Amino acid sequence: MGQSASKPRPQISPVLEGNACRLTSDADDDVSGYDYTLDLPDECLALIFHSLAAGDRKRSSLVCRRWLTIEGQSRQRLALDAQSQLADVVPRLFSRFDAVTKLTLKCDRQSVSIGDDALISISLNCPNLTRVKLRTCRELTDDGVAALAENCRNLRKFSCGSCSFGVKGVNALLENCELLEELSVKRLRGITNGAAAESIRPGKAAATLKMICLKDLYNAQCFGKLIAAAKNLKILKLFRCSGDWDELLGVIADGILGLVEVHFERIQVGDLGLSAISNSANLEILHLVKTTECTNIGLMAVAEKCKLLRKLRIDGYRTNRISDYGLIAIAINCPNLQELVLIGVNPTHLSLNKLAANCLNLERLALCGSETIGDAEISCIAAKCIALKKLCIKSCPVSNHGMEALAGGCPNLVKVKVRKCRGVTSEGADWLRASRGSLAVNLDATEPELVDAVVHGDNNNQAVVDVDSGIIGRSGSFKVRLGSLTDSIRRWRSFVRRFRSNLGKNYAD
């Protein structure tokens, strides 16, 4: 971008008038109409555009031709509606946005997406792309993705979802994009059980990959060789992928020693898989969401070897396979734990005492759907979790007494969320707020509160109660609306009966 030509700037000189300073010019009219942005280099104007919100940036580009040119040449991120009509404007579009490095192509499910020709044209016009995201581009095939990989060899992040290409396209990416660091694949239609004989080859990208995320794949295990060969892999995420992962993780255990973050959600993995993951001594984040075959044994293996664990999330799905034993092992071996989320897990004061005593950096704690978390357990947390800053309690048998315990404990606590705990009322939450003025208390009341109720008579002289639904919780609001509906039906039936009675009298007359 070069400096645009500008007209000579009028001479302006300061004139002192007493203690004030006034600017004067030989041509005041010229000063008022002078465009001071002409003095800014194109690079400075581009930096200003980068600081604007998307809407303001678009409007600013319409001010003049110079701004339009600079805005287009400085734009690095672009998201496009990837319908088939996009192919007709690709050359003109990217002649303006010729510096794009991050591109998102998304098509809605009811429309026909772009095909290989459009993707090839985009890759030729944007050879410097570093990030590409494809969503619902069902007309793309392996050939189009292969051309993208050959023309855009600087890709560092590639994400696709609900597309139709398959193994050959992914292999082309891994072979040609030597700098690829993140690969995310979701609902890739071309990778099915029928393609089980063809595996994903590591390619040259295996040496640089740091994150692999696989979601909703029938044959995700064909990525096994890639995962094993990615020696620098730090993050592994597997969501709702079929197959037995224990065996595969056991085979590739020696190749995944550098993992720092692992997410398992709704996959068939058990203690053998967790034991394989535990070989990653630098593991800091572990999410086990509805992995019903994981037990205390696997969690204990992780605790014994992964002593740097900072964040742990367990959704036990109410299977009771993870309990105090596994959590006590975490408490003893993982003193750096900062965040703990337990859903459908039933810890008691035994494990909570250990966590509070050993995990002195525990700042965020969430307890959801637990049958064993009551006032005694909340009192234990309040008394011993000194570093705790955020606490979430949902669907637990806690009452106002637990809230009273929080009022005198957890000196660093700044936020409390209470959801669907029938024993906690608005009075308990208000008392907690009053006791600790700086504490943010978010309560989702489950019972209706008859506040600002007005009793009056209806046409049949029966009592009707109006309640301010804005003060009660969602459950109470529903009950009030249901009562109003019932009352309306009763009134309508009464009206119909009177109407029929009057109609019969008219006919009799």
Side-chain angles (χ1 to χ4, degrees), residues 153-404:
R153 295 177 179 267
N154 293 323
L155 275 181
R156 295 180 180 272
K157 297 182 180 181
F158 180 81
S159 174
C160 62
S162 300
C163 297
S164 298
F165 61 90
V167 173
K168 293 181 180 179
V170 177
N171 282 335
L173 281 166
L174 296 172
E175 184 62 33
N176 291 284
C177 302
E178 301 180 14
L179 303 177
L180 193 65
E181 297 179 353
E182 297 185 9
L183 176 65
S184 179
V185 180
K186 179 179 180 181
R187 283 197 295 270
L188 196 57
R189 296 172 177 268
I191 300 181
T192 61
N193 288 329
E198 188 173 6
S199 297
I200 302 295
R201 297 190 299 271
K204 298 177 182 178
T208 57
L209 270 177
K210 296 180 180 179
M211 191 277 284
I212 296 177
C213 178
L214 307 176
K215 295 183 179 181
D216 302 310
L217 297 178
Y218 288 109
N219 193 26
Q221 295 194 2
C222 67
F223 286 83
K225 293 181 179 179
L226 172 63
I227 297 173
K231 302 300 181 181
N232 293 314
L233 191 65
K234 303 297 182 184
I235 302 175
L236 177 62
K237 299 181 179 182
L238 303 175
F239 299 88
R240 301 175 296 278
C241 294
S242 60
D244 185 357
W245 287 91
D246 274 345
E247 182 178 354
L248 178 60
L249 291 174
V251 171
I252 66 177
D254 293 336
I256 53 176
L257 300 179
L259 287 176
V260 175
E261 183 174 347
V262 172
H263 294 239
F264 291 157
E265 180 174 335
R266 288 183 179 270
I267 65 171
Q268 187 179 341
V269 64
D271 295 335
L272 293 178
L274 290 183
S275 297
I277 293 298
S278 69
N279 291 325
S280 301
N282 294 323
L283 189 67
E284 297 181 8
I285 301 174
L286 177 61
H287 287 197
L288 302 175
V289 179
K290 298 178 181 178
T291 53
T292 57
E293 297 182 13
C294 294
T295 70
N296 288 320
I297 297 175
L299 189 59
M300 291 167 69
V302 171
E304 291 173 0
K305 296 182 180 180
C306 305
K307 300 182 182 298
L308 300 179
L309 198 66
R310 295 187 299 107
K311 297 181 180 181
L312 177 62
R313 178 188 178 96
I314 302 175
D315 187 342
Y317 212 43
R318 298 184 185 276
T319 59
N320 291 325
R321 293 194 172 189
I322 293 179
S323 59
D324 279 339
Y325 297 105
L327 296 176
I328 289 175
I330 292 290
I332 294 175
N333 296 283
C334 305
N336 295 324
L337 194 67
Q338 297 177 354
E339 179 178 309
L340 178 62
V341 179
L342 300 177
I343 304 174
V345 180
N346 293 321
T348 67
H349 68 280
L350 297 176
S351 57
L352 293 176
N353 271 322
K354 284 291 184 181
L355 288 166
N358 294 349
C359 302
L360 302 180
N361 296 319
L362 187 62
E363 297 179 351
R364 296 174 294 278
L365 177 63
L367 304 168
C368 308
S370 175
E371 299 173 354
T372 57
I373 298 297
D375 293 335
E377 287 69 27
I378 298 299
S379 298
C380 173
I381 293 171
K384 298 185 178 182
C385 292
I386 306 300
L388 195 64
K389 294 181 178 180
K390 295 182 180 181
L391 175 63
C392 177
I393 310 169
K394 181 178 179 181
S395 300
C396 296
V398 178
S399 72
N400 289 339
H401 295 295
M403 298 299 100
E404 293 175 3

Side-chain angles (χ1 to χ4, degrees), residues 73-101:
Q73 293 177 347
S74 63
R75 182 182 288 271
Q76 297 181 349
R77 187 189 300 269
L78 193 63
L80 300 175
D81 185 359
Q83 296 187 29
S84 57
Q85 298 88 338
L86 179 64
D88 300 331
V89 298
V90 165
R92 287 180 295 161
L93 186 66
F94 288 97
S95 64
R96 176 189 171 192
F97 301 108
D98 57 357
V100 171
T101 59

